Every structure is written in C-alpha cells, then in structure tokens.
Amino acid sequence: MEPALDGRIKLTLLGGFLGSGKTTWLRHQLHRGTLCDAVVIVNEAAERPVDDALLVRAARLFVLAGGCACCTGRDDLVELLRRLCDQRLGSDARLSAARHIVLETSGLANPGSIVDAIRSDPVLIHHIVVSEIIVAVDALNGLEQMIREPLCRQQVETADRLIVTKIDEAGIPAVRRLLATLAQLNPGAALSGAIMGSPADVPDYAGVQPETLGEVSEETSGPIAALRLDLPEAVDWTAFSLWLSALLHARGDEVMRVKGVIRTPAGRLLLQSVRKIVQQPEILPEADEDAERNDNSVVFIGRGFAAEDLRRSLRFFAGED
Amino acid sequence: MCANCGFPSAPGHWTEAGATTASERLRARFRRAELLRRVLSPYGLTIHDDGAIPGIMVSTRSGHHEIVADLTELWSAVERMCGRKVDPLDAAFTGGSESTKR
C-alpha cells in the first residue's frame, strides 16, 4: 500500500457486528504479510481487551479499550490518532515507516461516526485519509443481525467492501440470500467471502430474493452493553464451562458475545462465543505478567442481563452458594 | 482453515478443553457430574457418569434416561425431558426476589 499522494497516511477501517470475524480476518492478513507495515489500532467496547493477544504480528499495535470509538471512546481515538501523527513526523522511526493505519472497531461501532470524527478534526484531516471501510458480515448470523439490529444495517450501509466470513459454515441457499440482501442494502460495495481470513469464492446470487428488512425500534430492543466478570478463585474451567454452556443454551440470543482468557491445567485458553456457538478454545502461549493480568476475566456483550445476576448464578453453578 | 496464523485449538468438545491428561479428564468428569446433580435435582433429574460410560446419563424419576455426549447435547436433552430450559438467569439461581422453590 502506498501512502496517499498528498503525504497523508491511509487509514482502513475494519468494522462489523459482534463476533463477525474482524480479528480473525485481520490476523490472517497480518500473517500473510499484506498489512505488515501497518499500524494496527484495536478498539473494544469492553473494559479489558482480548483481541490484542491475537494480533501479535502487527508492526505496532495500540489498544483502545473501555469505550466504543464511535461514541464514548471518540475523544480517546482522536487523541491517539493525533499522537500517532505527531510521532510519525517526529523521531519514531517505526512509525515514520508506517504507510497505513488499520483501525479495527468494536462490534458496536458505526463506522460512519468514526469517519466523521476523523474528518471533522482540524488536525487529523491534514494527516489521515480514510481509504477504505471494510465490514465483516457473519455468514451464519449476519441476516438475523440485520433483521434485528439497526446498528448492523448501518455498518453494512457504510462499507466499501463487505466480507462474508465463515462462508463455509452456512448453507449455500442461506449465503445466497444473505448476499442478495447485502447487495440490496449497499449496492456499491464489493462483495467477497472469507474462511478463517483466507479469501473464498461467493456463490452466484443473481435472481435471489433479498430478505425484507422491516423497521426495528431502538426502544424495544434496548441498548447493547458490555460487562466484565472476574472469575472467583474457586470457579474452575469445569464449573465455568458448565454454567456458560447452560447460559448460552437458554440465552444465546441475548448473550451475543463472550470472550476471555481462562487459566486451566491445559494452559491459557482463549474462549470466544457468538450467540450459541462457541469457538474451539485456542491454547495461548504463556505471556508476560502484564498480559496475564487480564486472565480469568471474561467479557459479556449483549442485552437483558445484569453483572450481579451473572455472578450469583455462576457461584450457584460452581457449588459456592 | 489456515493452520498457521492461529494458535492450536484444544481438541474435543469446548467444555472439556480444560484437561489434557487422562487423570485430569477423569477428575473433571466427576466434578462435572457432581455440579450437574446439584443444578438438576430441582428439575427431578439425576445424573450418572462413572467415567466408563461414553458420556453423561441423565434420568427422570420415572426411569426414562438418555446418554448424551457433551454438555451442549445435555442442555437440549434436559429441555426435552422436563419441558423447559434450565436458565441460569432464573431467579432461583440468581437469588432474585422472584425466587421460587421448584
């Protein structure tokens, strides 16, 4: 990727709904070396980051946690970008060499608001040009998310490029319908597919009837919140996974996303779920003390549940009550 | 799937990822059965897992029983057998004011 002709650094926005596969896609691009000269910024709505453990290959990685950059974390993002621009022009050799910034948004961000924040900042506008908005859409859950969540539609509408992830996990008729709906919602966006970040062919969707997306009232759906649960000492993997499997079976539509790193006799396990589907836990290497500080702390994103209820319920399931 | 850019995944059902050696696995199975018994007894269900049967056996008081391979299957079987889901956010588990004895 070349810098923009006017000397401004290019910024790619990588967005998509909760659990749509943003980090997996980015991780593969970093592994392939296509973005290895990029500065990566990861924004998470949750207080404690998880994704940074997965993006160890980035040239420089910055994590903005504790607020979504399109709303509550907007000032922090602008401040970070200003600092990067300063350092890029100054003495920081690694940053001067950087030609590209990739900003992975939180799953709750409207990319349009972030572009707006960058364009409306009197300093950033002279240093950064938003070159592309890439939005990941989950082949399994994407259609349902577009039907239920106005935010998911906004994300799709703002994209220059839509990547349908996990395309091998959904049936071809479902993928076709999703593609037709995406094309109707955002006819200008390029559509492609991905499996674990690798490019994959998309099926032909000509003539397929798109899903009718009705009106969704924000008031009836309520806001999506992120909260953190620190596992008590006595709660081991067996108790936690038993409780979580029951929770996702009963409340998978409300508990939209769960992620965290949990210490077990089998090593540090990275746990991630999207609605009812739990990804096979990855065994993370031992890390330094700083990174392990966040272990045994699990982030829950969704609506309709309170932190205290989760805590009490987990204690009950673990036999602590 | 790209085998290079990720970290290795734990094999088996995700809930069983916390144990690697045979003795750890057996200990985890016994603990799981013990925890399940406590959670499911108000639903009139009993759990049996002696480490030898290929899964978890769940039985009703009337003697109907099913053997399930993992916890994902278990929660579906429980829902089928007692006609409702075990919801961890039910007041009976969270100690909420609407707590009712089952």
Side-chain angles (χ1 to χ4, degrees):
Chain A
M1 301 266 181
E2 292 303 311
L5 291 174
D6 58 4
R8 291 187 290 174
I9 190 166
K10 284 183 176 181
L11 183 140
T12 299
L13 249 165
L14 173 60
F17 203 68
L18 299 166
S20 56
K22 300 178 287 293
T23 307
T24 303
W25 185 84
L26 180 55
R27 175 158 78 160
H28 191 74
Q29 309 316 306
L30 293 170
H31 166 71
R32 298 272 305 168
T34 40
L35 291 171
C36 57
D37 57 353
V39 174
V40 175
I41 303 173
V42 178
N43 175 224
E44 297 207 44
E47 235 175 285
R48 290 208 183 165
V50 173
D51 292 351
D52 55 329
L54 299 174
L55 297 171
V56 287
R57 285 175 192 265
R60 288 290 296 268
L61 177 71
F62 298 89
V63 179
L64 279 174
C68 169
C70 85
C71 39
T72 52
R74 186 170 165 143
D75 292 345
D76 290 340
L77 173 69
V78 169
E79 198 191 304
L80 172 65
L81 288 174
R82 282 189 179 192
R83 206 170 65 231
L84 288 180
C85 292
D86 254 4
Q87 290 172 351
R88 181 172 165 251
L89 297 176
S91 54
D92 193 319
R94 284 175 77 187
L95 275 180
S96 327
R99 297 168 166 195
H100 204 146
I101 298 173
V102 178
L103 169 59
E104 182 192 332
T105 72
S106 87
L108 300 175
N110 177 358
S113 305
I114 296 178
V115 173
D116 185 53
I118 295 169
R119 287 200 183 136
S120 60
D121 185 83
V123 176
L124 295 182
I125 186 69
H126 296 294
H127 291 276
I128 292 175
V129 55
V130 178
S131 61
E132 193 177 26
I133 301 175
I134 302 173
V135 170
V137 181
D138 180 341
L140 285 172
N141 297 303
L143 201 55
E144 183 64 25
Q145 286 160 349
M146 279 193 285
I147 292 170
R148 287 185 183 208
E149 308 290 346
L151 173 69
C152 183
R153 289 187 214 174
Q154 288 166 0
Q155 292 172 341
V156 169
E157 283 162 356
T158 48
D160 299 311
R161 176 143 69 108
L162 288 164
I163 300 174
V164 178
T165 59
K166 315 176 199 176
I167 200 161
D168 56 329
E169 291 180 33
I172 290 180
V175 173
R176 283 203 178 113
R177 195 161 171 80
L178 173 65
L179 289 166
T181 312
L182 292 173
Q184 190 191 43
L185 207 56
N186 185 348
L191 276 172
S192 60
I195 301 170
M196 293 300 288
S198 309
D201 292 334
V202 292
D204 181 22
Y205 57 91
V208 176
Q209 184 67 27
E211 184 71 39
T212 317
L213 302 175
E215 290 293 314
V216 188
S217 151
E218 292 261 15
E219 285 153 21
T220 52
S221 51
I224 298 172
L227 57 87
R228 197 186 84 223
L229 196 66
D230 290 318
L231 302 191
E233 284 277 318
V235 175
D236 59 5
W237 173 265
T238 303
F240 177 72
S241 63
L242 187 144
W243 171 77
L244 185 65
S245 61
L247 182 71
L248 295 178
H249 179 76
R251 301 272 184 159
D253 290 336
E254 289 148 79
V255 184
M256 298 170 179
R257 185 95 166 106
V258 177
K259 51 183 177 177
V261 177
I262 295 159
R263 300 195 69 85
T264 74
R268 299 171 69 223
L269 295 184
L270 173 79
L271 177 81
Q272 296 200 68
S273 78
V274 181
R275 291 187 182 253
K276 296 189 179 188
I277 299 166
V278 180
Q279 196 187 315
Q280 209 59 37
E282 288 182 31
I283 305 163
L284 299 186
E286 294 299 317
D288 54 28
E289 258 180 48
D290 206 34
E292 292 187 5
R293 219 166 14 123
N294 291 339
D295 286 3
N296 286 349
S297 173
V298 183
V299 172
F300 288 78
I301 305 174
R303 58 165 72 95
F305 52 86
E308 198 41 46
D309 287 342
L310 291 181
R311 247 174 238 126
R312 287 206 198 110
S313 168
L314 174 58
R315 273 203 301 271
F316 184 96
F317 271 67
E320 292 297 297
D321 256 0
Chain B
M1 171 173 168
C2 169
N4 295 315
C5 61
F7 295 109
S9 309
H13 190 259
W14 71 269
T15 54
E16 288 154 29
T20 40
T21 65
S23 62
E24 278 168 8
R25 272 200 297 273
L26 196 60
R27 207 174 304 127
R29 277 181 76 166
F30 290 154
R31 175 154 162 77
R32 179 177 69 182
E34 182 193 313
L35 294 172
L36 280 173
R37 268 180 215 117
R38 181 164 180 268
V39 170
L40 292 176
S41 76
Y43 292 80
L45 298 174
T46 52
I47 292 295
H48 175 75
D49 180 1
D50 59 6
I53 58 165
I56 312 164
M57 186 163 89
V58 47
S59 327
T60 65
R61 283 179 185 140
S62 62
H64 173 65
H65 67 265
E66 285 188 31
I67 294 181
V68 293
D70 53 52
L71 286 174
T72 304
E73 284 186 18
L74 176 100
W75 300 119
S76 302
V78 166
E79 188 182 349
R80 232 177 8 253
M81 291 163 97
C82 59
R84 60 187 164 137
K85 284 178 180 169
V86 174
D87 180 1
L89 292 180
D90 189 292
F93 295 124
T94 60
S97 52
E98 296 155 43
S99 176
T100 47
K101 196 160 172 63
R102 275 185 279 245

